[in-house]
Amino acid sequence: MNKIKIAVVEGDGIGKEVIPAAVDVLHAVGLDFESVPVEVGYGKWKRTGQAMDEHDLDIMRSCDCILFGAITTPNDPDYKSILVRIRQELELYANIRPFRSLNITIDSPYKPGPGHQFDFLIVRENTEGLYAGIEEFYEDRACTTKLVTKKGTIRIAKMACKLAKERKNRLTIVHKANVIKSCRFFSDICVDIAKQNNVQYNEMLVDTMAYNLIRNPEKYDVLVMSNLFGDILSDMSAALVGSLGLCPSSNIGEDHALFEPVHGSAPDIAGKGIANPIAAILSAKLLLTWVQEFNKADLVQEAVDHVLESGIKTIDLGGSKSTTDVSGAVIDYIKTQFSPAI
Ligand code: NAI
Ligand code: MG
């Protein structure tokens, strides 16, 4: 592939610590890329009064893909979520989030037993639902509209079916259609698309899904759902894995893609050098898969597994290592295994 252009958006808080680690990993595996830094976020908003401008969006559009840290969202009614806007403007309609149990022991209250090893994908609709930005405020009430379109649902359902077919061909359609009728609209379309694609499917109410994911995560393969449900079940699933600091995600559209950790800017630990960089490094791995550099992607995963198995862990996993200790160990491992043919 030609040299690819990656917009690198560190963002706020720990984004500034974990994204440089992910960029270093891309260099270590020998990806031929041009890094285009883009400053957006709360820091920029405080400095300039604008968190992101059209020029920033144009730069992101002109790149092949985006590596994104996290943005702090202040409690200010005039501040619009940057990430939601990027997802909508670039039509990054599929937020794909892999969750897989680790083979190592970490300091986590949740320890899945041998029969509960899991490996599932959350496929979250990323441009509509309750995040569509249709909101009204009055003195005595506030109203947010949940938008579910046929076009938006068909494309996310097709993506989920495609992924299911590449995996165990099992799709769970998550909704709350017993109460919210737009959820019935969503699930009926997903059922039709699953039938057309010969994908085995079942439906599950989102509250039951939360319960069952904790009880028996090993039963699930691909889960498709609307925006807010996907946001919430993702953080819950990160707790199943052991830490938000381990969980990457892709945001995929027709022409663009954005790769980011599931976590936010974590102001409680920002600036201390203790954030877990693995979610960002594995987001770089998803980027490598997207550009079809499969051997490089495998090497990153192998390096992360090796480092965790060696006990090199940040505080969120019960370890005492710093962000750069962990990323340095990942890069050292890559260097020992690297050959230009990879
Ligand atoms: P958060 O995901 O930033 O943090 C939740 C908890 O997990 C915190 O205790 C944090 O220390 C811990 N954590 C997160 N990532 C970690 C890592 N890599 N290593 C170790 N520990 C980690 O969620 P929170 O605190 O609710 O949000 C903070 C800010 O981030 C808010 O302004 C929120 O709006 C924003 N946010 C941004 C996102 C994005 O840009 N993609 C996503 C989620 C939240
Ligand atoms: Mg979230």
Side-chain angles (χ1 to χ4, degrees):
M1 178 168 185
N2 291 335
K3 189 172 195 143
I4 64 160
K5 253 170 95 173
I6 305 177
V8 177
V9 182
E10 293 180 356
D12 301 306
I14 62 168
K16 293 192 184 305
E17 299 163 50
V18 297
I19 290 301
V23 171
D24 288 348
V25 165
L26 289 177
H27 284 299
V29 292
L31 183 71
D32 188 16
F33 71 104
E34 180 189 343
S35 172
V36 183
V38 185
E39 191 205 350
V40 301
Y42 181 50
K44 182 169 180 172
W45 184 72
K46 279 198 291 191
R47 219 167 26 78
T48 68
Q50 239 188 333
M52 176 173 69
D53 55 34
E54 283 305 318
H55 180 62
D56 299 323
L57 268 175
D58 284 344
I59 296 177
M60 286 186 247
R61 262 193 213 100
S62 74
C63 291
D64 295 293
C65 60
I66 305 164
L67 187 60
F68 189 94
I71 297 289
T72 298
T73 310
N75 187 13
D76 183 316
D78 293 334
Y79 190 97
K80 297 263 179 292
S81 168
I82 300 289
L83 186 57
V84 170
R85 178 147 178 238
I86 297 171
R87 287 168 175 164
Q88 289 170 349
E89 294 269 349
L90 273 61
E91 288 208 58
L92 303 171
Y93 65 89
N95 190 193
I96 303 166
R97 299 182 150 180
F99 297 96
R100 143 176 110 83
S101 45
L102 298 173
N103 292 325
I104 55 154
T105 307
I106 53 171
D107 181 15
S108 162
Y110 180 81
K111 295 184 175 59
H116 297 283
Q117 297 304 310
F118 58 87
D119 179 356
F120 62 87
L121 279 186
I122 288 185
V123 180
R124 164 192 178 193
E125 201 294 318
N126 218 15
T127 54
E128 349 189 295
L130 277 165
Y131 293 16
I134 309 170
E135 310 205 90
E136 294 165 50
F137 289 90
Y138 304 97
E139 213 170 88
D140 58 343
R141 71 189 173 98
C143 179
T144 300
T145 299
K146 177 168 174 165
L147 176 71
V148 185
T149 69
K150 191 168 177 185
K151 178 186 166 206
T153 309
I154 288 175
R155 67 185 179 182
I156 195 68
K158 282 186 173 166
M159 174 66 83
C161 286
K162 175 177 157 283
L163 293 165
K165 294 204 93 140
E166 289 166 12
R167 295 168 53 98
K168 295 183 193 142
N169 196 27
R170 291 208 314 261
L171 179 69
T172 303
I173 302 162
V174 182
H175 56 70
K176 188 70 185 175
N178 55 338
V179 180
I180 303 171
K181 294 307 165 200
S182 56
C183 276
R184 175 52 62 208
F185 185 83
F186 179 87
S187 60
D188 283 351
I189 292 173
C190 290
V191 165
D192 280 349
I193 303 285
K195 282 182 181 161
Q196 285 164 24
N197 287 280
N198 295 320
V199 170
Q200 289 172 36
Y201 70 91
N202 68 320
E203 295 183 53
M204 197 165 291
L205 297 177
V206 63
D207 41 355
T208 314
M209 187 78 247
Y211 179 75
N212 283 334
L213 268 182
I214 299 273
R215 298 274 304 187
N216 294 107
E218 74 285 356
K219 283 192 177 166
Y220 301 97
D221 183 23
V222 177
L223 285 63
V224 66
M225 64 197 76
S226 57
N227 214 332
L228 176 65
F229 297 160
D231 199 359
I232 296 170
L233 289 187
S234 294
D235 278 28
M236 195 195 79
S237 302
L240 288 178
V241 178
S243 170
L244 269 168
L246 293 169
C247 301
S249 78
S250 331
N251 297 257
I252 306 286
E254 298 298 340
D255 307 315
H256 292 92
L258 179 152
F259 303 90
E260 52 159 353
V262 171
H263 63 71
S265 60
D268 53 340
I269 57 165
K272 297 182 181 164
I274 56 170
N276 190 340
I278 289 179
I281 290 171
L282 290 178
S283 300
K285 174 206 154 180
L286 295 178
L287 187 160
L288 289 167
T289 309
W290 186 74
V291 298
Q292 303 194 351
E293 290 281 6
F294 301 113
N295 292 339
K296 294 184 195 307
D298 288 347
L299 180 54
V300 173
Q301 184 68 57
E302 193 184 307
V304 165
D305 291 345
H306 172 82
V307 165
L308 287 174
E309 279 158 25
S310 313
I312 301 168
K313 298 178 228 166
T314 40
I315 293 165
D316 54 315
L317 303 179
S320 59
K321 300 294 183 190
S322 69
T323 307
T324 48
D325 288 338
V326 173
S327 59
V330 169
I331 288 165
D332 284 348
Y333 181 86
I334 288 170
K335 283 184 180 155
T336 64
Q337 303 297 313
F338 183 76
S339 85
I342 283 177

